[in-house]
Amino acid sequence: MKSSTFDFDKKIYVEDTATIVGPREKAGPVGKYFDKDFKDDSLGQPSYEKAEIKMHISLLKYLLNKTKHNEKDVDLCISGDLLDEIMGTSLTMREFNIPFMGTYNACATFAECLITASMFLTTGKFNRIICSTSSHFSTAERQYRFPLELGNQRTPLSQWTVTGAGATMLNNIGGKVRISSCTVGRVVDYGVKDANDMGACMAPAAADTLRRHFEEKGVSPSYYDLILTGDLGDAGSRLLKRLMIEKGVELGDNYNDCGVLIFNRMAQDVGQGGSGAACSSTVFNGYVYKKMLAGEFKRVLLVPTGALCSKTSILQGESIPGIAHAVSFEVE
Amino acid sequence: MKSSTFDFDKKIYVEDTATIVGPREKAGPVGKYFDKDFKDDSLGQPSYEKAEIKMHISLLKYLLNKTKHNEKDVDLCISGDLLDEIMGTSLTMREFNIPFMGTYNACATFAECLITASMFLTTGKFNRIICSTSSHFSTAERQYRFPLELGNQRTPLSQWTVTGAGATMLNNIGGKVRISSCTVGRVVDYGVKDANDMGACMAPAAADTLRRHFEEKGVSPSYYDLILTGDLGDAGSRLLKRLMIEKGVELGDNYNDCGVLIFNRMAQDVGQGGSGAACSSTVFNGYVYKKMLAGEFKRVLLVPTGALCSKTSILQGESIPGIAHAVSFEVE
């Protein structure tokens, strides 16, 4: 396969970011880096789906306000979530007079949005694009696994879907942090069928994309101050390190995972850590971006990871392939 | 809102197309224009979802073969379908060693793929991209409406989801037909709640995109030999014409709809006509593309239309907004 790693010679900047999270995320190790949070994860809505929509709408309004922009200043929103037919995003975008494209690569969706937006901005036909993703523990549980009321025991390898939403406003005008390159992922299937072991479903795809990124860009892991997968979780991250060694690459102390960062795994009883389409978008847009503005990280490689499944595919005995896209950021 | 209509000055060509359809589509008015068809819409699979996946895989293999390409000649697949989590597409892409991005805008997905691919090709970083969508009557019925075994009566305004898949191979190298411009749509909601009246859900979005396309491109409907919405169906098309008159634009004899074209509405008992993510991709890639190669259409405006809903959103009393993106093709 020819190279699927691309440098962005025309500069793509992060104009600003915004994040909103639920109480468990706010109480986690990087809680102070999120812009907004709420105590009641129903947000006063009659369903958790409506809560997720309200949260995503609130986030985009906040981002527009923060950046002192009107809707007409934004050329496009490229967004997605984990709900069937990405309904959260579609009903969010109903509230905005902004052109919209829906994306879905499970929890890798945020990376797909960033790459797509960066390519669009590179053409010069667009100047400002918002990329956003949301997820909600309660909507994901009942859609992918079991109703909350059932009170099922959680398996040791399960993860906790992040309740939150993260948005990045990109432009080709100016900013302190820019997107420097990307590697587009492909579907990788190691035959894992356990819907409660998302880490193992996704780690092979992350390994594939990471190896290709280093090889095609001609850098080693130490080129980056931080390499961050999306939501492999604790066991999944350790699995990734082993897979990378098999590929001849050693991930060192500069490697971490958004799902591991966002929760205190033992204190917060979240299994292997956070997951969900908003896991990478909240951790990056909150914690990582602020650290980059402060100069603590100069080069970051973000690799959101997705497990490609639906309740139907699982019930029909399909395995759960993964996909991962890589996006590198550098301080300007 | 600033203009969301873009011309493609760097040329984006259709290298070739491929279509595969089920028996009802093959028996329809444009049946002879499809490349492949099958008699048994289960394709010998134990589920209709697996049938849809087998169909989509078969289509992409056929397209690669037809164009004498290997997987490594294709830089990216941008694809989607109507299944929850676009699982049909994800499990299709598992079989190919090609980078993949998943898209979802319901039955407007095909246009979203084409626009995204065109922008990517414009950057010069990609040279060849496949855009594809699939749908299947049986998978759509049971996911969005009712199990087939229930034998529900169909309402007068309902449509028939196309069983099929269509793919377009785009490049920035050469071809007889090129993508000349596009208009990116936005979510438009007129408050329609009837999941059996998709035409009314989508017509307002089609009207919004069409009006903006004509205004921003500075052309009238007569500029095109054919203006084709995706799947408004018969009543939905007539509704669109009325909405356009309210906007001061008259759609004449050069206006038609893929859902109306693909079936003989009265003889085939398909309600208002075809629908589904593959409605526009089969009719365009089969019928329209061949007519353009023959010089019978020189300028075509394709406007795939999507109704944004899930079974959950409908059960929660949400209305069904629409979205429509426009893509114009010209003979080189």
Side-chain angles (χ1 to χ4, degrees):
Chain A
M1 189 176 74
K2 79 177 237 213
S3 172
S4 53
T5 297
F6 308 98
D7 287 321
F8 289 103
D9 33 297
K10 278 201 185 164
K11 296 198 173 179
I12 309 300
Y13 299 99
V14 175
E15 182 165 336
D16 211 336
T17 67
T19 51
I20 183 170
V21 296
R24 196 179 288 253
E25 293 74 16
K26 185 66 182 171
V30 294
K32 66 181 182 181
Y33 295 97
F34 300 124
D35 296 311
K36 293 177 55 155
D37 69 284
F38 45 89
K39 302 281 183 292
D40 166 19
D41 68 358
S42 75
L43 280 101
Q45 296 295 298
S47 76
Y48 287 116
E49 287 78 15
K50 289 180 189 283
E52 186 171 343
I53 293 162
K54 183 175 176 179
M55 178 180 72
H56 201 159
I57 291 170
S58 166
L59 176 80
L60 296 183
K61 287 184 174 175
Y62 173 78
L63 178 59
L64 288 172
N65 200 40
K66 190 184 189 193
T67 51
K68 298 182 173 31
H69 283 307
N70 294 318
E71 290 178 351
K72 60 176 174 55
D73 300 328
V74 179
D75 300 326
L76 182 62
C77 279
I78 305 177
S79 308
D81 60 72
L82 298 185
L83 299 181
D84 294 339
E85 287 70 71
I86 57 166
M87 268 324 284
T89 301
S90 295
L91 292 181
T92 294
M93 290 314 305
R94 174 174 59 179
E95 305 302 317
F96 297 92
N97 194 14
I98 301 172
F100 162 59
M101 286 190 160
T103 49
Y104 186 79
N105 263 169
C107 309
T109 297
F110 181 53
E112 189 187 339
C113 296
L114 292 171
I115 295 172
T116 303
S118 300
M119 293 295 173
F120 278 42
L121 289 164
T122 294
T123 66
K125 298 181 192 299
F126 298 81
N127 296 123
R128 185 175 288 107
I129 298 177
I130 290 176
C131 301
S132 65
T133 55
S134 75
S135 54
H136 194 300
F137 172 79
S138 300
T139 59
E141 274 313 287
R142 80 182 189 128
Q143 181 183 282
Y144 287 100
R145 286 168 281 275
F146 296 102
L148 301 167
E149 297 85 339
L150 204 54
N152 264 11
Q153 281 180 310
R154 301 176 62 73
T155 65
L157 289 170
S158 64
Q159 287 168 255
W160 193 277
T161 306
V162 161
T163 297
T168 312
M169 182 181 280
L170 296 177
N171 70 39
N172 49 17
I173 303 163
K176 297 202 177 85
V177 173
R178 66 181 189 92
I179 290 184
S180 50
S181 71
C182 69
T183 298
V184 187
R186 53 190 176 182
V187 179
V188 179
D189 191 347
Y190 272 33
V192 181
K193 291 193 175 190
D194 184 357
N196 289 303
D197 184 7
M198 295 278 111
C201 298
M202 298 185 288
D208 180 69
T209 296
L210 271 169
R211 180 201 58 78
R212 287 189 296 116
H213 177 82
F214 295 134
E215 185 179 297
E216 292 169 357
K217 194 172 166 74
V219 301
S220 68
S222 61
Y223 178 79
Y224 293 104
D225 301 311
L226 178 65
I227 298 167
L228 207 54
T229 41
D231 56 355
L232 296 183
D234 188 74
S237 307
R238 288 184 278 119
L239 183 54
L240 173 66
K241 284 183 166 184
R242 290 178 67 173
L243 289 172
M244 291 304 289
I245 283 174
E246 284 176 15
K247 292 182 189 292
V249 179
E250 188 167 350
L251 293 178
D253 292 340
N254 62 341
Y255 166 65
N256 214 321
D257 178 78
C258 298
V260 169
L261 281 175
I262 196 168
F263 293 127
N264 180 330
R265 207 161 74 77
M266 306 315 282
Q268 292 189 282
D269 190 27
V270 290
Q272 296 302 319
S275 67
C279 190
S280 56
S281 68
T282 51
V283 171
F284 175 78
N285 287 311
Y287 169 70
V288 178
Y289 180 63
K290 291 184 169 78
K291 289 288 187 184
M292 293 188 82
L293 288 180
E296 292 182 45
F297 299 133
K298 295 194 167 52
R299 290 199 197 113
V300 174
L301 183 66
L302 183 70
V303 192
T305 43
L308 304 170
C309 65
S310 68
K311 61 180 128 1
T312 305
S313 72
I314 289 168
L315 288 170
Q316 291 187 10
E318 292 283 0
S319 55
I320 304 169
I323 192 163
H325 305 295
V327 184
S328 69
F329 296 83
E330 301 198 10
V331 172
E332 185 60 349
Chain B
M1 189 175 74
K2 82 177 234 210
S3 173
S4 53
T5 297
F6 308 97
D7 287 321
F8 290 102
D9 32 298
K10 277 198 184 166
K11 297 198 171 179
I12 310 299
Y13 299 98
V14 175
E15 182 165 337
D16 211 337
T17 67
T19 51
I20 182 170
V21 296
R24 197 180 288 252
E25 293 73 15
K26 185 65 181 173
V30 294
K32 65 180 181 181
Y33 295 97
F34 300 125
D35 297 312
K36 293 178 52 153
D37 69 283
F38 45 88
K39 302 282 182 291
D40 166 19
D41 68 356
S42 76
L43 280 99
Q45 296 296 296
S47 76
Y48 287 116
E49 286 77 15
K50 290 180 189 283
E52 186 171 344
I53 292 163
K54 183 175 175 181
M55 179 180 70
H56 202 159
I57 291 170
S58 166
L59 177 80
L60 295 184
K61 286 184 174 176
Y62 174 77
L63 179 59
L64 287 172
N65 201 39
K66 192 184 189 193
T67 51
K68 297 181 177 29
H69 283 305
N70 293 320
E71 290 177 350
K72 61 177 173 54
D73 299 328
V74 180
D75 301 326
L76 182 62
C77 278
I78 305 178
S79 308
D81 61 72
L82 297 185
L83 299 181
D84 294 339
E85 288 69 71
I86 56 167
M87 269 324 285
T89 301
S90 295
L91 293 181
T92 293
M93 290 313 306
R94 174 174 60 179
E95 305 302 317
F96 297 91
N97 194 16
I98 302 172
F100 162 60
M101 287 191 160
T103 50
Y104 185 80
N105 262 169
C107 308
T109 297
F110 180 54
E112 190 188 339
C113 296
L114 292 172
I115 294 172
T116 303
S118 299
M119 293 296 173
F120 278 42
L121 288 165
T122 293
T123 66
K125 298 181 193 297
F126 298 81
N127 295 121
R128 183 175 289 105
I129 298 177
I130 291 177
C131 301
S132 66
T133 55
S134 75
S135 54
H136 194 300
F137 172 79
S138 300
T139 59
E141 273 313 284
R142 80 181 187 129
Q143 182 183 281
Y144 287 100
R145 287 168 282 276
F146 297 102
L148 300 168
E149 297 86 341
L150 203 56
N152 265 11
Q153 281 179 310
R154 303 175 61 71
T155 66
L157 289 169
S158 64
Q159 288 168 253
W160 193 276
T161 305
V162 161
T163 297
T168 313
M169 182 181 280
L170 295 177
N171 72 38
N172 49 17
I173 303 162
K176 296 201 179 85
V177 174
R178 67 181 190 92
I179 291 184
S180 50
S181 71
C182 70
T183 299
V184 186
R186 54 189 178 183
V187 179
V188 179
D189 193 351
Y190 272 33
V192 181
K193 292 192 175 191
D194 184 357
N196 289 304
D197 184 7
M198 295 278 111
C201 299
M202 299 185 287
D208 180 67
T209 297
L210 271 169
R211 180 199 60 77
R212 287 190 294 116
H213 178 81
F214 295 134
E215 188 178 296
E216 292 168 357
K217 194 171 167 74
V219 301
S220 69
S222 61
Y223 177 80
Y224 294 103
D225 301 312
L226 178 65
I227 298 167
L228 207 55
T229 42
D231 56 356
L232 296 183
D234 188 76
S237 307
R238 287 183 280 119
L239 183 53
L240 173 66
K241 285 183 166 183
R242 289 178 68 172
L243 289 171
M244 291 304 288
I245 283 172
E246 284 176 14
K247 293 182 188 292
V249 178
E250 188 167 351
L251 293 178
D253 292 340
N254 62 341
Y255 165 65
N256 214 321
D257 178 78
C258 298
V260 169
L261 280 176
I262 196 168
F263 292 127
N264 180 329
R265 207 162 76 76
M266 306 317 282
Q268 292 188 283
D269 190 27
V270 291
Q272 297 301 320
S275 67
C279 189
S280 56
S281 69
T282 51
V283 172
F284 174 78
N285 287 310
Y287 169 71
V288 178
Y289 179 63
K290 291 185 170 77
K291 289 286 187 187
M292 292 188 83
L293 288 181
E296 293 182 44
F297 299 133
K298 294 194 169 48
R299 290 198 197 113
V300 174
L301 183 66
L302 183 70
V303 193
T305 43
L308 304 170
C309 64
S310 68
K311 60 179 126 7
T312 304
S313 71
I314 289 168
L315 287 170
Q316 291 188 9
E318 292 282 1
S319 53
I320 304 169
I323 191 163
H325 305 294
V327 183
S328 68
F329 297 82
E330 301 199 8
V331 172
E332 184 62 350

